[in-house]
């Protein structure tokens, strides 16, 4: 018998409330110590953690930023309906994480920048920096804050049955606390605790599910064979292999290599080697998405095969497998993933606006305290905006939750992927090409997204290609446009690095090479194992 999810509130015991209370106290203590242990604060304390982060903090913080409530909901949902195919969105990522660690990070750190707009501005001037700063702000507000908060509110609504507007207000208020008080340093320390907790609770749920299903061998045989394939045939409407192969890299390059929320942890590293090892660590952590998130949905398909909505898979497992006294852990994990994603996003939003807009355009004479004050006001404004957008996203119909996340990112990503790749790999790239792609190209890409999602939604109008392929087509068009503009530019303005910056670009150490070689071998083996079933 399946227990109704609405019953979870009535099933909460004094022990559940105690677990939540203890968790909140521990979280606040960690955040307080990280925020206020250093009395001699600077703007760097708020934004880049005084460049004090080691590889474990970087890896856990990047993973905490990446693992939002969408992982719990959407991965379980896809696991329930199609098997492990969604693991591609985490395992295929190792290629682009390696690109960040070995190609982009050395250039970012050598350039001594705090933000991605600052990096591009150093190469192509203030106009490029301004365009990219505003684009980055919009990207963070929509793809990180609004969508992340929406997923959290959606999950809370499932658990507690309270309206969406109440859910998102409570969640964003709590998540914004650490970004407001302690910045990146507090968020990084909190995220180590959060992610260890997430692993423990998710693994417990998986083990309970496997036991109830009759063991691992039984789990393997109780679902269709294609549930264990990472690569699906071209005839698969939802996740054909070519769409993932071509379309996912566009989003992944923009997400992992150019996104302030992801890269900021690397910029806060003690040194380049620690940053590169931290990025490698998140690659190992991403392997856990199969046992921790996807397998939950597959187990739900075995145990409760007649759900009305696959999006209910995660909460169905929780409410039916966790005994009284453990349901408080669900609320704890929900808060954990929200604090990780929203806190990092707010800190990045605050960093870009304060350093690239306020300090550059509004008040060039701002003191460190001025920057901290403005940064905190931006955190508050970001919270308010995210609440409004989360409620608007709640009205989107016709796409499952994961498709909403991936398709929105797919329309935001192409201009960023184009300009950063060309900047790093093609010295002939001109300022005019970069600015055109970031402005007109972004308008074209985002406009296409609006039509795809709202005006002529793909659920009703079937002439659209797969959203991942559409992202790839936009990327190819914008790349061709940038190359053409660069080649036809009568008075090209290109970036010529000085000797000192070139000399600061360090080569990977033996430890870094070994770490990435091992991860590459493991990922190839995993792709060979999980195919052909």
């Amino acid at each position: 018998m399946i227990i109704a999810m609405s019953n979870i509130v009535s099933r909460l015991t004094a022990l559940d409330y105690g677990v939540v209370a203890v968790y909140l106290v521990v979280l606040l203590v960690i955040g307080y110590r990280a925020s206020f242990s250093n009395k001699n604060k600077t703007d760097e304390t708020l934004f880049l953690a005084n460049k004090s982060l080691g590889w474990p903090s970087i890896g856990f913080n990047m993973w905490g930023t990446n693992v939002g409530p969408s992982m719990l909901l959407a991965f379980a949902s896809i696991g329930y309906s199609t098997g492990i195919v969604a693991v591609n969105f985490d395992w295929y990522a190792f290629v682009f994480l390696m690109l960040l660690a070995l190609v982009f990070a050395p250039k970012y750190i050598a350039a001594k920048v705090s933000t991605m707009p600052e990096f591009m501005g150093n190469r192509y001037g203030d106009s490029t920096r301004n365009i990219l700063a505003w684009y980055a702000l919009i990207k963070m507000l929509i793809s990180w804050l609004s969508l992340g908060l929406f997923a959290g509110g959606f999950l809370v609504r499932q658990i507690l049955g309270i309206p969406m507007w109440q859910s998102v207000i409570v969640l964003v208020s709590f998540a914004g606390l650490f970004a407001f008080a302690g910045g990146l340093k507090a968020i990084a320390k909190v995220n180590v605790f959060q992610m260890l907790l997430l692993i423990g609770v998710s693994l417990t749920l998986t083990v309970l599910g496997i036991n109830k299903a009759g063991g691992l061998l039984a789990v393997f045989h109780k679902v269709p064979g294609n549930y264990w394939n990472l690569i699906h045939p071209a005839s698969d409407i939802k996740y054909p292999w070519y769409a993932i192969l071509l379309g996912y890299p566009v989003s992944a390059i923009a997400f992992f290599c150019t996104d302030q929320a992801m890269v900021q942890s690397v910029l806060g590293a003690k040194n380049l080697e620690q940053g590169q090892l931290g990025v490698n660590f998140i690659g190992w952590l991403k392997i856990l998405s199969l046992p921790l998130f996807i397998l939950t949905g597959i187990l739900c398909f075995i145990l409760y095969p007649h759900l009305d909505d696959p999006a209910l898979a995660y909460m169905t497992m929780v409410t039916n497998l966790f005994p009284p006294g453990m349901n408080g852990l669900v609320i704890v994990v929900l808060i954990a993933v929200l604090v990780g994603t929203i806190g990092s996003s707010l800190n990045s939003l605050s960093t870009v606006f304060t350093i690239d807009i306020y300090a550059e355009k509004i008040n060039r004479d701002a003191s460190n305290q001025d920057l901290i004050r403005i940064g905190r006001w931006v955190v508050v404004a970001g919270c308010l905006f995210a609440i409004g957008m989360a409620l608007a996203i709640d009205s989107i119909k016709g796409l499952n939750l994961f498709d909403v996340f991936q398709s929105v990112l797919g329309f935001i990503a192409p201009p960023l992927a184009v300009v950063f790749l060309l900047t790093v790999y093609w010295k002939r790239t001109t300022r005019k090409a970069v600015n055109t792609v970031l402005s007109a190209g972004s308008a074209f890409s985002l406009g296409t997204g609006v039509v795809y999602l709202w005006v002529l939604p793909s659920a009703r109008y079937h002439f659209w290609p797969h959203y991942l392929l559409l992202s790839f087509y936009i990327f190819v068009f914008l790349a061709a446009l940038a190359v053409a503009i660069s080649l036809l530019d009568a008075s090209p303005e290109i970036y010529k690095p000085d000797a000192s910056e070139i000399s600061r670009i360090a080569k990977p150490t033996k430890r870094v090479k070994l770490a990435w070689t091992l991860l590459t071998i493991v990922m190839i083996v995993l792709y060979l194992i999980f195919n052909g079933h």
Side-chain angles (χ1 to χ4, degrees):
M1 179 181 176
I2 301 177
I3 301 170
M5 283 188 297
S6 59
N7 290 342
I8 192 169
V9 179
S10 61
R11 297 174 72 223
L12 292 177
T13 65
L15 181 57
D16 288 312
Y17 290 112
V19 166
V20 175
V22 170
Y23 160 75
L24 294 176
V25 170
V26 172
L27 195 63
L28 289 170
V29 168
I30 294 172
Y32 179 84
R33 288 173 63 87
S35 302
F36 301 106
S37 60
N38 180 13
K39 295 180 181 178
N40 183 26
K41 291 185 191 177
T42 67
D43 58 309
E44 283 287 85
T45 304
L46 194 67
F47 302 126
L48 289 185
N50 280 343
K51 293 190 178 293
S52 63
L53 301 181
W55 67 263
S57 292
I58 293 167
F60 275 123
N61 195 48
M62 290 182 72
W63 198 47
T65 304
N66 191 195
V67 179
S70 58
M71 286 286 193
L72 304 180
L73 285 172
F75 272 21
S77 173
I78 297 178
Y80 185 94
S81 57
T82 59
I84 68 169
V85 65
V87 177
N88 282 297
F89 293 94
D90 263 8
W91 288 6
Y92 189 10
F94 91 93
V95 176
F96 311 102
L97 289 167
M98 195 187 309
L99 190 66
L100 167 61
L102 303 184
V103 177
F104 284 94
K107 294 181 184 295
Y108 293 155
I109 291 176
K112 297 182 177 180
V113 296
S114 299
T115 68
M116 297 298 93
E118 184 182 2
F119 174 77
M120 293 297 284
N122 289 350
R123 292 175 168 242
Y124 299 108
D126 285 347
S127 58
T128 302
R129 183 173 183 174
N130 291 341
I131 296 169
L132 188 56
W134 285 108
Y135 191 73
L137 291 173
I138 292 170
K139 181 176 184 289
M140 283 185 281
L141 283 168
I142 296 174
S143 67
W144 283 108
L145 287 170
S146 303
L147 285 171
L149 185 60
F150 161 70
F154 187 89
L155 196 50
V156 168
R157 185 169 60 186
Q158 284 190 9
I159 297 173
L160 302 178
I162 62 176
M164 174 66 82
W165 68 270
Q166 292 180 11
S167 303
V168 295
I169 288 174
V170 172
L171 290 172
V172 82
S173 299
F174 192 84
L177 178 63
F178 299 104
F180 184 91
L184 181 62
K185 186 178 180 182
I187 292 163
K189 289 201 172 185
V190 161
N191 272 346
V192 173
F193 166 65
Q194 305 272 59
M195 294 304 102
L196 290 172
L197 187 66
L198 173 66
I199 291 170
V201 175
S202 298
L203 197 58
T204 301
L205 183 61
T206 300
V207 170
L208 290 173
I210 291 172
N211 287 340
K212 186 161 185 177
L216 272 176
L217 197 61
V219 170
F220 181 78
H221 290 293
K222 285 183 178 180
V223 295
N226 64 357
Y227 263 49
W228 303 109
N229 288 337
L230 285 165
I231 299 173
H232 282 206
S235 57
D236 186 335
I237 297 174
K238 289 185 176 180
Y239 301 105
W241 67 266
Y242 59 85
I244 293 175
L245 179 68
L246 297 175
Y248 176 72
V250 179
S251 297
I253 290 168
F255 186 75
F256 294 114
C257 301
T258 79
D259 190 288
Q260 183 72 26
M262 293 301 291
V263 175
Q264 189 150 334
S265 296
V266 181
L267 298 179
K270 292 176 182 177
N271 53 52
L272 176 60
E273 184 187 60
Q274 290 296 302
Q276 292 172 320
L277 291 174
V279 178
N280 178 265
F281 185 38
I282 186 185
W284 292 100
L285 289 171
K286 279 182 166 292
I287 295 175
L288 297 177
S289 63
L290 175 57
L292 298 185
F293 309 130
I294 299 284
L295 192 55
T296 303
I298 296 174
L299 290 168
C300 188
F301 174 79
I302 295 170
L303 299 173
Y304 312 106
H306 303 298
L307 290 186
D308 294 332
D309 183 358
L312 304 178
Y314 178 78
M315 286 310 305
T316 299
M317 289 289 285
V318 166
T319 50
N320 286 276
L321 296 187
F322 273 176
M326 287 188 68
N327 289 293
L329 290 173
V330 182
I331 301 171
V332 163
V333 166
L334 169 65
I335 299 172
V337 294
L338 245 294
V339 169
T341 301
I342 303 299
S344 297
S345 308
L346 288 169
N347 182 248
S348 301
L349 181 81
S350 172
T351 302
V352 170
F353 182 86
T354 304
I355 292 176
D356 292 306
I357 305 295
Y358 179 77
E360 276 295 304
K361 300 298 175 187
I362 300 173
N363 184 5
R364 287 181 175 267
D365 299 320
S367 66
N368 291 343
Q369 291 305 312
D370 289 334
L371 296 178
I372 291 175
R373 178 173 51 82
I374 293 299
R376 285 173 172 162
W377 277 114
V378 173
V379 169
V380 174
C383 289
L384 295 175
F385 180 88
I387 290 170
M389 280 298 296
L391 295 176
I393 293 167
D394 192 36
S395 66
I396 296 178
K397 307 298 180 187
L399 288 173
N400 72 40
L401 187 62
F402 190 72
D403 287 341
V404 172
F405 279 82
Q406 292 300 325
S407 57
V408 168
L409 182 60
F411 296 117
I412 292 174
L416 290 169
V418 167
V419 297
F420 275 84
L421 282 176
L422 287 179
T423 295
V424 168
Y425 283 108
W426 194 40
K427 295 178 180 178
R428 185 66 173 76
T429 308
T430 66
R431 176 193 293 188
K432 187 179 292 184
V434 169
N435 288 357
T436 300
V437 170
L438 286 176
S439 54
S442 296
F444 170 73
S445 188
L446 292 172
T448 303
V450 169
V451 175
Y452 176 88
L453 287 168
W454 286 286
V455 181
L456 301 172
S458 60
R460 290 170 52 198
Y461 298 88
H462 302 295
F463 59 82
W464 291 103
H466 192 283
Y467 64 82
L468 288 170
L469 270 186
L470 185 55
S471 177
F472 175 71
Y473 294 151
I474 295 171
F475 169 82
V476 171
F477 169 72
L478 294 180
L481 178 66
V483 170
I485 293 172
S486 294
L487 294 175
L488 298 173
D489 196 338
S491 54
E493 296 177 76
I494 62 175
Y495 171 66
K496 295 179 180 178
D498 57 45
S500 63
E501 182 177 335
I502 294 175
S503 66
R504 290 197 300 268
I505 300 177
K507 293 183 178 179
T509 63
K510 288 183 179 180
R511 287 178 68 196
V512 170
K513 289 179 181 177
L514 177 61
W516 282 105
T517 300
L518 289 174
L519 180 60
T520 301
I521 292 170
V522 169
M523 295 312 302
I524 291 171
V525 170
L526 286 173
Y527 265 86
L528 291 174
I529 291 172
F530 288 101
N531 272 303
H533 298 290

